[in-house]
Amino acid sequence: MERCLVMKAANGSKDGLDFNPLKEYMVLSSPQRVTIAVLCISLGLLSALENLAVLFLILSSHRLRRKPSYLFFSSLAGADLLASVVFACNFVNFHVFHGEDSEAVFLLKIGSVTMTFTASVGSLLLTAIDRYFCLCYPPTYKALLTRERALVSLGIMWVLSAFVSYLPLMGWTCCPSPCSELFPLIPNNYLLGWLLFITVLFFGIIYTYGHVLWKAHQHAASLAEHQDGQVPGMARMRLDVRLAKTLGVVLAVLFVCWFPVLAFMAYSLTTTVSDQAKKLFAFFSLLCLVNSMVNPIIYALRSGEIRSSAHHCLARWKKHLRGRGPEGKEEIPKSSVTETEADVKVTQWPDSKGPHPSDS
């Protein structure tokens, strides 16, 4: 309550521009501020360039930008691009330059940061669902997940992310509710609600990928049994082992980048957070930026089709530099089973009525 009285007094002066209560959250020392600035700007710039490259490669290819899988990749890259720019700028402005804003401007900024990261996790969930349909229902994949349905699901996800993230700007702030120990003006009950929402998204990702891996293992085992042991063990296990490695990397990155931040947020709901803990939280927050930097590598740049699009663009630019127009057509390789494409060789799964993908 004491914090609420201080905020009200600050907001009553100069239309809220003298927003002194923010200083309670500006706890970094001068060396720490320099470190944060260097890390945040470097990671933000690298992440923005990576995601911008992915967006360009997808949108510049007529074939890729019409596929639902790559619409989800585009949404993920767009969310991570915005997160890199919005988070880096606001984080440095707040912790390094101690920028002071009115209440409405501050809530707009923190809401924008929340929206971009929430949309990034939402895009990861839609990408996981896309892979589930592709690998488990390849005969009907294109009918189940059309371009129009993908756009509708993305629209719903972005609108929901924006609504949840801008609730504080719409009036759900602290005072008289207890204020968050980590975020100015954010009430603990809102933070708890957002944590529950983001946890549901993460559990959805983990469950979906776990189910994909289970189906792949069933497929590999059934192939070995169906072919009566004639196929070498390495070939029999190729599908589920490769998927296990890929999904292991995906889940490991999610855990490393998000668990420390979410654990700190949950901890702040139960007790008073010291300045040392707030400093640690500031550095752990950069892991979310690392996640936005790693996502393009895991989800997009490993795709043979996106790499082919990159090679085509490089060849086209090289011809332009030599004074010749672009020639030839873009050759797109088939995607592997670890990518979200249905244009793969299929074999019959014993427990289904139609063909299922196999890694050729």
Side-chain angles (χ1 to χ4, degrees):
M1 183 61 68
E2 181 181 351
R3 184 178 297 171
C4 292
L5 295 176
V6 174
M7 288 185 175
K8 288 180 179 178
N11 289 338
S13 62
K14 298 181 182 180
D15 297 326
L17 293 176
D18 187 17
F19 199 41
N20 292 326
L22 289 180
K23 295 185 184 300
E24 182 181 344
Y25 298 84
M26 301 171 181
V27 295
L28 298 181
S29 63
S30 295
Q32 291 169 340
R33 287 158 60 187
V34 173
T35 304
I36 281 286
V38 172
L39 290 175
C40 196
I41 294 174
S42 301
L43 292 173
L45 184 60
L46 183 58
S47 175
L49 290 175
E50 288 181 1
N51 287 286
L52 188 62
V54 170
L55 277 176
F56 174 78
L57 292 174
I58 293 176
L59 297 179
S60 64
S61 171
H62 178 75
R63 185 173 187 267
L64 294 185
R65 66 174 178 261
R66 298 193 61 82
K67 289 188 172 185
S69 300
Y70 290 95
L71 290 178
F72 297 134
F73 283 165
S74 299
S75 174
L76 178 61
D80 285 333
L81 173 61
L82 290 175
S84 303
V85 176
V86 175
F87 175 82
C89 292
N90 292 326
F91 200 73
V92 170
N93 180 62
F94 182 82
H95 282 291
V96 178
F97 297 110
H98 290 177
E100 297 180 1
D101 300 298
S102 66
E103 177 179 330
V105 172
F106 179 80
L107 290 175
L108 176 64
K109 288 181 176 180
I110 199 170
S112 299
V113 172
T114 305
M115 183 195 71
T116 54
F117 282 123
T118 304
S120 177
V121 177
S123 298
L124 290 177
L125 177 59
L126 292 179
T127 300
I129 294 172
D130 172 71
R131 291 185 174 187
Y132 170 77
F133 282 128
C134 172
L135 290 167
C136 297
Y137 303 100
T140 57
Y141 169 76
K142 291 185 177 180
L144 283 173
L145 196 58
T146 62
R147 186 171 186 270
E148 290 72 23
R149 289 177 179 175
L151 290 172
V152 169
S153 63
L154 285 171
I156 293 174
M157 184 274 295
W158 275 92
V159 169
L160 184 59
S161 298
F163 175 75
V164 170
S165 302
Y166 287 118
L167 282 174
L169 182 62
M170 292 183 244
W172 191 354
T173 59
C174 58
C175 304
S177 301
C179 297
S180 169
E181 293 285 328
L182 299 175
F183 304 100
L185 286 176
I186 302 301
N188 278 336
N189 51 10
Y190 170 80
L191 184 59
L192 175 62
W194 184 83
L195 281 173
L196 293 175
F197 177 70
I198 209 74
T199 300
V200 169
L201 295 183
F202 278 122
F203 272 113
I205 294 171
I206 294 171
Y207 173 81
T208 304
Y209 278 136
H211 198 68
V212 167
L213 184 58
W214 176 65
K215 293 291 287 185
H217 178 73
Q218 276 192 326
H219 174 49
S222 63
L223 273 182
E225 188 176 322
H226 179 69
Q227 295 175 2
D228 200 23
Q230 298 300 316
V231 182
M234 179 95 44
R236 289 202 306 266
M237 297 304 295
R238 183 179 176 187
L239 178 67
D240 53 348
V241 168
R242 290 185 64 192
L243 271 175
K245 290 180 179 179
T246 299
L247 302 184
V249 171
V250 168
L251 297 180
V253 168
L254 282 177
F255 180 83
V256 170
C257 293
W258 280 96
F259 180 77
V261 176
L262 298 180
F264 249 106
M265 292 181 185
Y267 172 74
S268 72
L269 296 174
T270 62
T271 185
T272 301
V273 178
S274 65
D275 285 350
Q276 291 300 320
K278 291 178 181 178
K279 293 176 182 179
L280 195 59
F281 177 75
F283 281 93
F284 277 152
S285 297
L286 296 180
L287 289 174
C288 297
L289 202 54
V290 173
N291 183 241
S292 294
M293 181 184 69
V294 174
N295 279 340
I297 300 173
I298 296 178
Y299 291 93
L301 299 181
R302 295 180 65 193
S303 165
E305 292 184 303
I306 290 183
R307 290 198 303 269
S308 177
S309 177
H311 293 156
H312 179 72
C313 288
L314 289 175
R316 185 174 57 192
W317 292 341
K318 188 180 296 185
K319 290 177 181 179
H320 276 301
L321 290 176
R322 292 174 179 173
R324 301 185 316 187
E327 297 175 3
K329 295 182 178 180
E330 180 180 1
E331 294 182 1
I332 304 295
K334 296 296 183 182
S335 299
S336 70
V337 293
T338 56
E339 297 169 8
T340 51
E341 294 303 318
D343 305 330
V344 292
K345 181 181 176 181
V346 294
T347 56
Q348 187 75 23
W349 285 29
D351 59 343
S352 68
K353 297 181 179 179
H356 284 253
S358 71
D359 194 14
S360 55

